Amino acid sequence: QVQLVESGGGLVQAGGSLRLSCAASGRTFSTYAMGWFRQAPGKEREFVAAITRSGSNTYYADSVKDRFIISRDNAKNTVYLQMNSLKPEDTAVYYCAVGRGYYLPREVTNVGSWGQGTQVTVSS
């Protein structure tokens, strides 16, 4: 079981940037696709971005495309989410996710394990 710990959340003004990090335990990090999800109050958890095991392919929700960038450093067992041009509607708890088996975590059902979440708040 991969353990995940997110960091980097906080309060930022609209138009600002934040970088989230997710550190994973274990020696098999490079064998898993990784992703980020978010959940706003009263809403379901939704897909944000995903990255393949090697990092060669990335996928984004339409709502964050061209603003967010997912990346990974397999030597550091870490996945990142660079968030630019933040909007108030980006306010949510952001969760790091490991793909279940060989699945790419683009849906909740394809997630093998979750981090504890980190709060991102964007003020207008």
Side-chain angles (χ1 to χ4, degrees), residues 47 49-52 55-60 69-72 104 106:
F47 168 74
I51 188 167
T52 53
S56 58
N57 294 93
T58 56
Y59 304 85
Y60 298 93
I69 301 172
I70 187 171
S71 62
R72 67 189 295 163
L104 191 67
R106 296 181 67 176

Side-chain angles (χ1 to χ4, degrees), residues 2 6 17 20 23 27 33 36 41 46 55 57 68 71 76 87-88 90 92 94 97 101 106 114 117 119-121:
V2 178
E6 299 103 332
S17 298
L20 305 183
R27 301 178 180 179
W36 289 92
E46 64 175 7
N57 294 93
F68 290 11
S71 62
K76 296 183 178 180
K87 305 175 181 180
D90 293 319
Y94 283 71
R106 296 181 67 176
W114 299 95
Q119 177 70 47
V120 171
T121 303

Side-chain angles (χ1 to χ4, degrees), residues 36-39 43-49 63 89 108:
W36 289 92
F37 287 71
R38 66 187 182 187
Q39 188 166 18
K43 295 188 176 181
E44 293 187 350
R45 194 168 297 190
E46 64 175 7
F47 168 74
V48 174
S63 58
E89 51 263 44
V108 172

Side-chain angles (χ1 to χ4, degrees), residues 4 6-7 93-96 114-119:
L4 305 171
E6 299 103 332
S7 61
V93 177
Y94 283 71
Y95 296 90
C96 181
W114 299 95
Q116 84 286 356
T118 185
Q119 177 70 47

